[in-house]
Amino acid sequence: MTGAGSLLRLIRSGEAVTRADLVRRTGLARSTVAQRLDALRAHQLVYEAGGTTSTGGRPPTVLMFNQGAGLVLVADLGATHSRLVIADLAGSPLAETTFDMEIGEGPEAVLTSVHEHFEAMLAEMERSAADVRGVGVGVPGPVAFTRGEPVAPPIMPGWDGFSIPNWFAKHYEAPVLVDNDVNIMALGEHWTHWRAHEHLLYVKIGTGIGCGVVSGGHIHRGAQGAAGDIGHVRLAGHDDVICRCGNPGCLEAVAGGRALATKLTQAGLPAESSRDVVALVRAGEPQAIQAVREAGRDLGEVLAGCVNFFNPGAIVIGGDIAEAHQQLLAGVREVIFQRSLPLATGDLRIVPSRLGDRAGAIGAGIMVIEHILAPEAVDRRIQLGLAA
C-alpha cells in the first residue's frame, strides 16, 4: 500500500510535486492523497510553495520537502583525526568542525568528546537535542552494522563489542547508525558523483587499505559486514612481509601508507606516516615516486581480480596516498588493464576521489537520512504520532 512515506519519496526526488502528479503516479484517490499530505504537513516534512505554470485556471500548488524539519549529527572518526558535521535533512552541512583525537583512547573518552563538541555546535546554532532526527558514525574498523558495534578492530583498543548506539541513546532520542569508514566514504562518493553507476568500488589507501563496495546502488556489506577488506588479500612474492593481522604478504603490509613510510625511512628518506610519503612525492623525491608507483601496481594486482569478479563501472581511489594520484593511479591502471578481461574494462573509470577527506562525513549523513526518511520509517513515525 502506498503510504505517506512513499509520497514523501516522490516529492523529495522531484518525480511528483503536485497533488495531480501524486494521484497519477500512485493511483490513489485525491482524497487519500490529501489525507496523507495532511499527515506529512503535520510532521513538518512537506510545505506548499506557490504554483507552477498554469495551462488555464488556478495554478497548481507545488509541494516541497522541508529539509529544515530536523538535524542529522555526523561523526567521521579516524585513527587520529575526526570530522563532525551537523546537516539538515537534505544532507547540506550547517556546521562543521575537525579536531585531533586518538581513537585508541577508548570509546568512553572519544564519544564523550564527540558529544561535547556536538553540544557546543548545537548551542551555537541555537538548536537542541530535540531537533536531532538521527546520528551517523563512521569508525576505522570492522563493524557489525545491524548492532552498531565494532568487531575486533585492530587499531581501536577497547572498542570491540561496544554498542555505540546505546551510548548515544543516553543523549538523543533518535536512530544511531554506525559503519566502517570506507563504507561511508564509498556511499558519499557514489551519492554525490556516481549515482548513474550502480556498481562501484571505493578504495581507501592511507595507513592501511580498505574498499567500500557499491552494488545495485547500495552498500554491499556481506554476511557479517566484512565485505571489501582487500587490505588482507595475499600478494604473491611477499611472504617475507608479516601483516599486523599475523598473516604473510597482505596487500596492506606491502603497499599501505605505513609500509611505504617504513620502506622510505630504511632507504634514508625519513617518513613517519602516509602524509609524509605524499610530501616526499610532491617534493620530487625519485625513490618516493617509485615507491608509490609500485604500490599502485600492487594495488592493481588485487583490483584486477576484483574487476574480473565484480565488474564495477568505476573505481574511485581515496585516502592520504591517493593525494599522489598521478603516480598511484598510473600503477593501478597499468596492471588492471593488463590483467583484467576486455569486457570488464571496456567502460571502466579509474579516478581519484573528488570529495577527498569529506567523503566519509557526507556518506554518513546520507546513510542516516535515507534510513530515517525511508517510506516505512516515515509511515511508522506518523502512526506513532512522533515528531518528524
Side-chain angles (χ1 to χ4, degrees), residues 2-58:
T2 306
S6 295
L7 268 59
L8 179 63
R9 171 155 288 182
L10 291 169
I11 294 168
R12 285 178 63 209
S13 67
E15 296 175 58
V17 296
T18 68
R19 286 173 174 79
D21 290 340
L22 293 170
V23 169
R24 281 194 298 269
R25 288 298 302 269
T26 64
L28 296 173
R30 291 188 67 88
S31 58
T32 304
V33 168
Q35 181 184 43
R36 289 175 185 168
L37 287 175
D38 285 344
L40 291 173
R41 282 201 304 270
H43 286 72
Q44 300 180 344
L45 288 169
V46 166
Y47 66 94
E48 297 179 343
T52 59
T53 302
S54 174
T55 57
R58 183 177 178 180

Side-chain angles (χ1 to χ4, degrees), residues 32-92:
T32 304
V33 168
Q35 181 184 43
R36 289 175 185 168
L37 287 175
D38 285 344
L40 291 173
R41 282 201 304 270
H43 286 72
Q44 300 180 344
L45 288 169
V46 166
Y47 66 94
E48 297 179 343
T52 59
T53 302
S54 174
T55 57
R58 183 177 178 180
T61 299
V62 175
L63 300 163
M64 301 289 290
F65 168 56
N66 180 16
Q67 61 192 60
L71 302 174
V72 170
L73 307 185
V74 172
D76 182 14
L77 308 180
T80 60
H81 190 73
S82 297
R83 181 183 299 273
L84 305 185
V85 173
I86 297 180
D88 63 20
L89 295 185
S92 301

Side-chain angles (χ1 to χ4, degrees), residues 115-172:
H115 175 58
E116 289 173 350
H117 277 85
F118 277 143
E119 283 193 313
M121 294 165 74
L122 286 167
E124 189 170 340
M125 297 169 62
E126 298 184 348
R127 306 293 287 271
S128 71
D131 297 307
V132 175
R133 302 290 175 256
V135 180
V137 182
V139 297
V143 173
F145 180 72
T146 56
R147 302 194 305 273
E149 299 174 2
V151 179
I155 62 170
M156 298 173 63
W159 290 80
D160 184 29
F162 185 88
S163 177
I164 297 174
N166 285 351
W167 193 94
F168 276 105
K170 298 180 294 185
H171 306 286
Y172 305 103

